[in-house]
Amino acid sequence: MSRFGVQCEDLHSLVQTIDSLDVQINSIYTHFAGGIMDREGNQAQLDRFLDCSEDYVARNIPRHASATSGCCQQIGTDLDYIRPGGAIYGLCSVNDIPSSELFQELGFRPAMSVVAEPTFYKLLPAGRRIGYDGLYTTKEPEWIANIACGWSDGYRRKLSLGVGAVKNNRTGELCPIVGRVSMDSCTVRLPRKPEASDTYSLLTDDFAEKTSYTSMARILNAATYEITGTLSTRLPRVYTSGDNIVDIMQAVDYSN
């Protein structure tokens, strides 16, 4: 990938330098540049890597190449190690639809979702402006709910004005974001008065349109890991096993 390390033609001189410094080499590796659908490119990269590192097999220096994409393609998985990365959490490394569909067919499912209860909901008359700058105006009497999750929590501002939606976990209905996503909250339009027990998923643990991390990445022209990796540490983490809550961490604390 030409980020770290060296080019193939420079590997031997690097190893000689390391040996002269009496530094132990624990392994030699490459990281595939291509996504799940780029089998030809990843195979070509693996072939170059195997060729330039072959001299070190006799020294018993482990070699590895396969991260999430390689594991899905079964390219480089017969080397000494694999590095499944995001696949451990059910996260596809790229956001295009063919890759997402293949990843899903392989049996992966995201290990996390973002779920919230409305902090407030109300029936507003037609003509009521909502949110900063009043960018959304109700067209008729509409049920509007406020959810305490905004861009400071990692829910992107670009999902404002109907670009994004949340899922009612009881009915499965998608409810569009109306108005602007603000620092600590967003507002959604509901089809009717909600039940008191209704919860809503801002990020779903699937590959659905609008609410999954892969779909959000496509909408926002972002990397898939960017969607989950930028969720704020102040969001409570609820750990489950089946239908049972195992642990709740109110906020991630890095002070220790």
Side-chain angles (χ1 to χ4, degrees):
M1 292 180 70
S2 302
R3 298 186 305 179
F4 311 111
V6 295
Q7 300 299 306
C8 288
E9 59 270 22
D10 299 321
L11 177 60
H12 293 319
S13 62
L14 174 63
V15 171
Q16 288 176 352
T17 300
I18 293 173
D19 287 342
S20 70
L21 297 171
D22 197 26
V23 174
Q24 179 179 331
I25 300 175
N26 291 319
S27 69
I28 301 174
Y29 76 95
T30 188
H31 188 73
F32 293 141
I36 292 175
M37 305 307 291
D38 187 13
R39 185 178 185 86
E40 182 178 349
N42 289 343
Q43 183 64 58
Q45 183 178 336
L46 177 65
D47 292 341
R48 291 194 299 272
F49 170 72
L50 293 177
D51 181 63
C52 75
S53 62
E54 181 64 27
D55 290 347
Y56 306 104
V57 173
R59 289 181 51 176
N60 292 320
I61 298 176
R63 297 184 297 175
H64 48 107
S66 184
T68 290
S69 292
C71 289
C72 292
Q73 297 167 330
Q74 295 188 328
I75 294 178
T77 52
D78 56 344
L79 296 179
D80 296 290
Y81 310 129
I82 60 171
R83 311 185 307 269
I88 295 175
Y89 305 97
L91 300 179
C92 184
S93 57
V94 286
N95 66 26
D96 62 277
I97 291 176
S99 296
S100 298
E101 289 178 345
L102 174 59
F103 198 69
Q104 189 174 7
E105 288 171 5
L106 291 172
F108 290 101
R109 176 183 171 184
M112 63 169 294
S113 57
V114 177
V115 180
E117 296 178 344
T119 56
F120 198 82
Y121 57 86
K122 61 191 94 57
L123 181 62
L124 293 178
R128 185 64 56 86
R129 299 172 72 209
I130 295 175
Y132 283 110
D133 299 323
L135 297 179
Y136 177 78
T137 303
T138 55
K139 301 174 180 60
E140 57 186 355
E142 296 178 15
W143 282 100
I144 303 295
N146 186 78
I147 293 178
C149 185
W151 53 256
S152 188
D153 300 294
Y155 194 74
R156 305 299 184 83
R157 194 167 181 261
K158 290 184 179 179
L159 294 170
S160 304
L161 301 172
V163 175
V166 301
K167 176 185 175 182
N168 183 307
N169 293 320
R170 177 177 58 87
T171 66
E173 295 170 297
L174 291 182
C175 306
I177 302 292
V178 294
R180 177 168 283 165
V181 175
S182 56
M183 182 172 72
D184 299 307
S185 67
C186 59
T187 46
V188 301
R189 186 180 71 235
L190 308 180
R192 67 193 69 84
K193 181 179 180 178
E195 299 289 334
S197 60
D198 279 355
T199 61
Y200 296 84
S201 289
L202 291 89
L203 180 68
T204 51
D205 57 352
D206 53 24
F207 297 90
E209 285 300 312
K210 288 280 193 178
T211 57
S212 68
Y213 75 101
T214 50
S215 179
M216 283 188 189
R218 289 194 294 272
I219 291 169
L220 297 170
N221 192 28
T224 51
Y225 297 161
E226 195 178 338
I227 303 302
T228 54
T230 56
L231 293 173
S232 171
T233 56
R234 73 179 188 173
L235 287 176
R237 267 63 170 173
V238 180
Y239 298 91
T240 63
S241 177
D243 295 328
N244 300 315
I245 295 177
V246 176
D247 193 15
I248 299 176
M249 185 179 295
Q250 293 300 333
V252 177
D253 182 4
Y254 292 119
S255 62
N256 294 320

